[in-house]
Amino acid sequence: MAVPQKPVEGQLLEGGVPAGRAAPAVIAPGHTFESVTDKISGIVLTKRTPIGWFIGFAVAFAFLMLLNLTIGHLLMTGIGIWGNNVPVGWAFDIINFVWWIGIGHAGTLISAILLLFRQQWRTSINRFAEAMTLFAVACAAMFPLLHTGRPWLAAYWLLPYPNTMGLWPQFRSPLIWDVFAVTTYFTVSLLFWFTGLVPDLATLRDRAQSRAAKVIFGVLSLGWRGSARHWQNYEVAYLLLAGISTPLVLSVHSVVSFDFAVSVLPGWHATIFPPYFVAGAIYSGFAMVMTLAVPLRKFYGLEDFITMRHIHNMTKVMLVTGMIVAYGYGQEAFFAWYSANPYEGYMMLNRMTGPYAPLYWSLIAINAGMIQLFWFRRVRDNVVLLFILSLFVNVGMWLERFIIIVTSLHRDFLPSSWDIYQPTRWDFAMFTGTIGLFLSLFFLFIRFLPAIAIFEMRTIVPEAKLQPEQRG
Amino acid sequence: MAHSETSPAVHGLLAEFATPGGLVHATEKARLEGYRHMDAYSPFPIEHLHEALGLRRSKVPLITLVGGILGGIGGYALEYWSQAIAYPLNIGGRPYHSWPHFIPVTFETTVLGAALSCFVGMWALNRLPQPYHPVFGAPVFDRASRDRFFLCIEATDPKFERYATARFLEGLHPVGVTEVAP
């Protein structure tokens, strides 16, 4: 192994960087196949669960119970417990739906698009980012489903199946496109996630001590034995799923934006919506990955695997996509003026000076102003500060959806129908409840499944490179 | 390196290597020697290994393509049939067959068909789930999912001869050679 290592693919991109400023490695030096396997599988196979895990899970679980309570009350009473009413028929339910779906997008971007672009730094963050996608989509799907008020009837409103009433869903409606986009997205993300997990589940099966763990991981790993014939089909399928997911993830938030863009409301009827929504989704998703990655690497001592390289790159992706979002805000304001349409013009004036103006200026301050801090290397090096800023980005993107949805609805064409929207405590209970669901699932995930893809980490260990003299 | 003399039948001989390069080299040598019924096991996918084994191209892309095409046709057919034949509704004076509205769902069902067939096809081609396989019986094989690389020459190979094959594998500088019970 004395032959000098070829630079790994990802580092070629950094070719022009002077030595002192070179990007940190994607994995700390000195790691071997054994060390990455033992470190990551040890988190799952340990008998001692850290006390911090119990505390965190308890808090998250309490909010999950709040969600159960809210849903129970909602189904018993009706959606009148929420604040939305004519003219603001869409409020927290759609704001939170769009917010959660957007967060999911970073997971697919990391696992699929960065895989196709051969970005090695995706390797240690893809697994938990994909898990984040699944949990976020589950939270998102709950809102439109419960917004129907009678989810048990929603089956024939939403899904095309031959029912005794002879009814079929209306395929000319973007809301049905949404149903297909979101269910497809969830299914494909689940298949991709599970496919990636199988070789790692086999590792856990082989390393588990307890009988129960051996049986459970044995069943889940499908009898994977690492055969070269299997790896060949596996790698092809993994790349194909990535290739399939790439247009899919772009389509999902485009379809979500059609819910607005296909209508004729000022502030919604805009051609910029699909790219603007997709960029916003990736921006908020990376903020959530950062929010989860910083405590994860700290409490589980994963600094060797989730290095400063990952932190820097995630910050840069947030900066780029955040700037695209800020450009979208500029375009909205520009077209409100340039269209010379009085309704469009008033919509923008209302956003900037109306009753919701403080929220509008907060989101501009965060998504256009605060993110400029990401230009500075000193900010990108400060992990605690980045964690705090990523929370602000999550808030900023939630405010963006609030402003888009509520300001266009509460004052439309007819001043006699204008009204002020105010959320109720049940709106907040439901929203914080889904955060509890998301975090509960995430805590269970990091305790019971490998949060970092072990077999992919093995491929970036230096000794995985084939040496020339070893090739026949 | 224990050669069991008691059991007459074996599944094959399993050579253990410490590096991926050692495995690829040994596989190439075994193929040159004329062995065909063999498989290599590794804790992560290794470039060139399937070439060394002389495997044919994977059929997964074809299965995925067919699944995607069927998904797309199925989605569009469902929309056309339900909107124009089974349940025609006049929506803002649009034609019943208003095809631009049908594109988003057609796209999604194409993706869904491709992804499902890719997933199912890959596991089916690999003949998984398979709860048991003889190589799991070898005590050293636990490390195939951690840090060791294995080449198994199977007893069904016409050129397989218990002692000659074992000697050949020993010559490839493995960590060890084990017999695998059937």
Side-chain angles (χ1 to χ4, degrees):
Chain A
M1 303 295 268
V3 178
Q5 297 294 321
K6 253 174 42 183
V8 292
E9 284 143 333
Q11 284 171 343
L12 291 174
L13 297 171
E14 315 286 336
V17 182
R21 307 257 299 163
V26 290
I27 182 169
H31 274 288
T32 61
F33 300 135
E34 298 94 313
S35 69
V36 293
T37 308
D38 297 353
K39 174 75 188 163
I40 302 168
S41 59
I43 295 173
V44 177
L45 295 173
T46 179
K47 288 206 170 57
R48 276 180 310 192
T49 309
I51 187 77
W53 185 91
F54 282 108
I55 297 170
F57 183 70
V59 173
F61 195 74
F63 280 101
L64 174 58
M65 291 301 106
L66 179 66
L67 178 69
N68 280 347
L69 179 77
T70 312
I71 292 174
H73 183 48
L74 180 85
L75 295 182
M76 300 293 284
T77 315
I79 58 167
I81 65 168
W82 289 347
N84 41 336
N85 208 330
V86 177
V88 184
W90 279 5
F92 262 46
D93 44 351
I94 304 299
I95 297 165
N96 298 336
F97 166 72
V98 178
W99 189 71
W100 277 122
I101 284 279
I103 283 170
H105 278 48
T108 320
L109 184 98
I110 291 169
S111 59
I113 300 181
L114 296 185
L115 176 71
L116 296 183
F117 285 124
R118 295 182 169 273
Q119 292 293 302
Q120 263 190 340
W121 62 277
R122 69 176 274 288
T123 301
S124 52
I125 54 175
N126 68 341
R127 171 70 49 72
F128 75 85
E130 286 167 32
M132 177 195 81
T133 296
L134 289 173
F135 305 153
V137 174
C139 291
M142 208 170 282
F143 284 98
L145 204 61
L146 290 169
H147 191 203
T148 65
R150 294 169 183 80
W152 53 93
L153 297 183
Y156 74 84
W157 298 336
L158 303 178
L159 301 174
Y161 71 98
N163 52 57
T164 51
M165 297 159 288
L167 298 176
W168 291 92
Q170 179 48 255
F171 283 108
R172 295 178 192 87
S173 162
L175 299 180
I176 290 299
W177 305 347
D178 235 8
V179 172
F180 277 80
V182 172
T183 49
T184 301
Y185 185 43
F186 185 81
T187 311
V188 175
S189 301
L190 185 66
L191 297 180
F192 198 45
W193 186 64
F194 179 72
T195 303
L197 266 172
V198 166
D200 288 354
L201 293 170
T203 297
L204 294 176
R205 170 199 66 200
D206 293 342
R207 298 192 47 71
Q209 299 297 321
S210 79
R211 175 91 188 138
K214 275 182 211 255
V215 170
I216 293 169
F217 288 127
V219 169
L220 289 177
S221 62
L222 309 178
W224 181 264
R225 54 185 188 271
S227 153
R229 293 162 207 280
H230 294 176
W231 278 123
Q232 189 199 13
N233 286 326
Y234 182 93
E235 277 210 291
V236 170
Y238 203 61
L239 273 174
L240 279 172
L241 283 174
I244 293 165
S245 303
T246 300
L248 175 65
V249 69
L250 299 179
S251 86
V252 173
H253 229 58
S254 298
V255 167
V256 168
S257 80
F258 289 159
D259 291 345
F260 305 97
V262 171
S263 76
V264 289
L265 222 55
W268 287 9
H269 190 59
T271 48
I272 198 176
F273 260 38
Y276 163 54
F277 265 53
V278 170
I282 292 164
Y283 171 57
S284 66
F286 267 87
M288 188 57 99
V289 175
M290 183 74 86
T291 308
L292 298 171
V294 169
L296 184 70
R297 78 195 275 273
K298 173 79 189 149
F299 291 125
Y300 284 99
L302 295 171
E303 282 94 344
D304 281 2
F305 300 154
I306 305 174
T307 65
M308 286 313 289
R309 170 79 164 274
H310 301 93
I311 305 279
H312 284 179
N313 284 3
M314 287 194 280
T315 315
K316 288 173 190 169
V317 173
M318 271 158 57
L319 179 61
V320 170
T321 49
M323 294 288 275
I324 298 173
V325 172
Y327 173 78
Y329 299 149
Q331 285 298 306
E332 281 186 320
F334 173 75
F335 276 106
W337 167 75
Y338 188 70
S339 68
N341 179 318
Y343 298 105
E344 287 281 344
Y346 180 72
M347 177 278 298
M348 207 62 220
L349 190 72
N350 183 40
R351 276 188 192 177
M352 290 176 171
T353 62
Y356 299 109
L359 300 182
Y360 179 76
W361 292 113
S362 306
L363 87 89
I364 295 290
I366 294 169
N367 293 342
M370 187 200 79
I371 58 156
Q372 306 306 327
L373 290 173
F374 295 157
W375 287 104
F376 300 101
R377 196 182 169 92
R378 283 183 59 189
V379 174
R380 294 201 299 270
D381 277 334
N382 189 333
V383 176
V384 177
L385 179 64
L386 286 176
F387 176 72
I388 296 166
L389 294 182
S390 72
L391 291 175
F392 270 101
V393 171
N394 287 321
V395 172
M397 285 308 291
W398 188 88
L399 290 174
E400 180 207 291
R401 277 67 177 252
F402 185 96
I403 288 295
I404 289 174
I405 290 168
V406 174
T407 58
S408 283
L409 288 171
H410 91 119
R411 288 182 179 172
D412 64 355
F413 305 98
L414 203 61
S416 64
S417 65
W418 289 3
D419 203 355
I420 289 291
Y421 163 75
Q422 273 180 324
T424 65
R425 57 188 168 160
W426 291 108
D427 279 309
F428 285 106
M430 176 105 186
F431 178 46
T432 49
T434 52
I435 295 175
L437 170 65
F438 177 81
L439 291 178
S440 299
L441 289 169
F442 201 80
F443 273 109
L444 291 174
F445 162 71
I446 55 177
R447 180 65 190 84
F448 293 110
L449 290 171
I452 294 178
I454 309 173
F455 86 88
E456 291 185 89
M457 290 304 285
R458 291 189 198 109
T459 65
I460 63 169
V461 167
E463 60 181 312
K465 290 277 163 202
L466 292 181
Q467 303 302 316
E469 85 277 13
Q470 287 174 325
R471 300 278 338 276
Chain B
M1 261 168 260
H3 293 283
S4 157
E5 306 284 334
T6 47
S7 75
V10 288
H11 170 76
L13 285 163
L14 192 68
E16 178 181 353
F17 297 91
T19 63
L23 175 62
V24 173
H25 175 69
T27 310
E28 284 168 347
K29 278 276 160 60
R31 195 167 161 77
L32 281 177
E33 191 75 11
Y35 291 106
R36 290 294 178 270
H37 293 209
M38 54 184 180
D39 206 346
Y41 301 91
S42 60
F44 57 87
I46 299 173
E47 237 184 322
H48 308 301
L49 188 56
H50 62 89
E51 292 162 21
L53 277 169
L55 300 181
R56 272 174 294 178
R57 284 169 62 111
S58 172
K59 287 199 185 66
V60 173
L62 182 67
I63 295 172
T64 308
L65 177 69
V66 172
I69 291 170
L70 289 178
I73 294 173
Y76 196 91
L78 170 75
E79 291 181 278
Y80 176 76
W81 181 78
S82 67
Q83 306 301 297
I85 299 170
Y87 194 53
L89 282 181
N90 186 334
I91 304 292
R94 291 182 184 86
Y96 293 136
H97 183 203
S98 51
W99 68 266
H101 289 93
F102 298 166
I103 298 303
V105 170
T106 305
F107 173 78
E108 302 298 341
T109 54
T110 307
V111 166
L112 188 63
L116 284 173
S117 53
C118 178
F119 180 80
V120 173
M122 186 265 285
W123 294 118
L125 288 175
N126 285 348
R127 297 181 197 286
L128 292 176
Q130 179 186 354
Y132 183 71
H133 189 274
V135 289
F136 286 129
V140 289
F141 196 71
D142 271 3
R143 294 178 77 175
S145 66
R146 184 166 174 243
D147 59 347
R148 284 295 157 92
F149 304 83
F150 294 89
L151 178 66
C152 183
I153 297 181
E154 287 157 20
T156 52
D157 193 290
K159 214 172 167 301
F160 183 87
E161 202 281 303
R162 207 155 162 183
Y163 300 107
T165 305
R167 261 199 309 281
F168 165 72
L169 284 173
E170 297 282 4
L172 298 171
H173 314 296
V175 178
V177 177
T178 327
E179 277 190 359
V180 182

